[in-house]
Amino acid sequence: MAYDSNVPTDSARLLAGAFVVALFAFLLRYIGMSHEPTWDELYHVLAARSWAENGTFAIADGEYTRAALFTRLIGLVTVWSDGSLDAIRLFCITLGTLFVLAVFLAVYKLVGRAEAYVVAFMLALMPGAIYLSQFVRFYSLHALLFWIASISVYFLMTRQLKLPVRIVVGGLAVASFVIAAELQKTTLVGLVAVAAGAGALCIPRLISSFRLLGGRGRSLVIVGVIMLVATGLLLLFGPLNHLVDSYRSASLWSTETNAAYYVIRYRSIFGALWTLFPLAVLYALAVNWRPALFAATVFIVAFLLHSFAGMRSERYL
């Protein structure tokens, strides 16, 4: 039996790399962790204390039930740590660290080692990601769940998996999407983006199949696509009209009304990197088109949908 000496070496490199990335991301998030809690954080902290004491989400004379699952998790940390705010923040930055680690492992597997390090360290250093990791809110958990769901969909679309494995991966995707949607309604926007990414992966195969069809077959396909789009529009402006209304609505405290908000915001954060983004996408498509097409489609669709939504904030995208 032949022995492949590269296997343990590759595994050791992956484990060592994962450790370095996780440690780097954690330390960046640990610095400046013990700041005064904001009123947004206190919603979860106070509701979690109430849940730990009597099983309710009471705050004064009311209740805070948004993202109740996350509040329960904070409640468990409250019980274990005797109400320590620093312990709660450690839990949150651990979630943020796991998100960076999950991105690193997926890119390492799908693209390559160098690309995984670049992406992971950029995400670890991203100011918004650091801030949200230190924030006692559900955003880091939501990002982790959405990433797991998206990558699971990509694996289902691009890998030849045995049926039991396909069922597990599909179940993981569904569960992650469902929990993420319970935390944040904007998950529905992300779900549309992931569906578009999955559809984009099918385009080359569909084009090949379409060319093999005769005139009548092509006509039937075109009619079917038109009927599918029309049905979707009828649902959105009929039984599902409330989703459109929710998408367009904005809270009274919302101040971002410019559809170019995300363009301006990302340009201020990433500078020249944002300007070079289209060229980076084209290069990635030329080098490894499947993950590049999926990732670019998910990002662009989500970016456009969020840009024209009623509510806009950096933490939504």
Side-chain angles (χ1 to χ4, degrees), residues 41-59 64-79 83 88 136:
E41 293 178 293
L42 289 175
Y43 284 135
H44 283 302
V45 173
L46 296 177
R49 288 178 181 174
S50 177
W51 180 82
E53 291 172 359
N54 52 48
T56 69
F57 301 107
I59 300 178
Y64 186 75
T65 57
R66 184 184 179 190
L69 172 62
F70 181 76
T71 302
R72 289 188 178 95
L73 292 175
I74 297 301
L76 291 175
V77 178
T78 299
V79 172
I88 293 172
V136 184

Side-chain angles (χ1 to χ4, degrees), residues 16 31 64 76 90 142 171 196 202 246 248 253 255 292:
I31 298 171
Y64 186 75
L76 291 175
L90 277 173
H142 179 266
C202 296
S246 178
R248 292 174 175 172
W253 52 264
T255 59

Side-chain angles (χ1 to χ4, degrees), residues 29-45:
R29 283 147 180 76
Y30 182 80
I31 298 171
M33 179 190 71
S34 299
H35 55 80
E36 289 295 320
T38 65
W39 59 270
D40 233 5
E41 293 178 293
L42 289 175
Y43 284 135
H44 283 302
V45 173

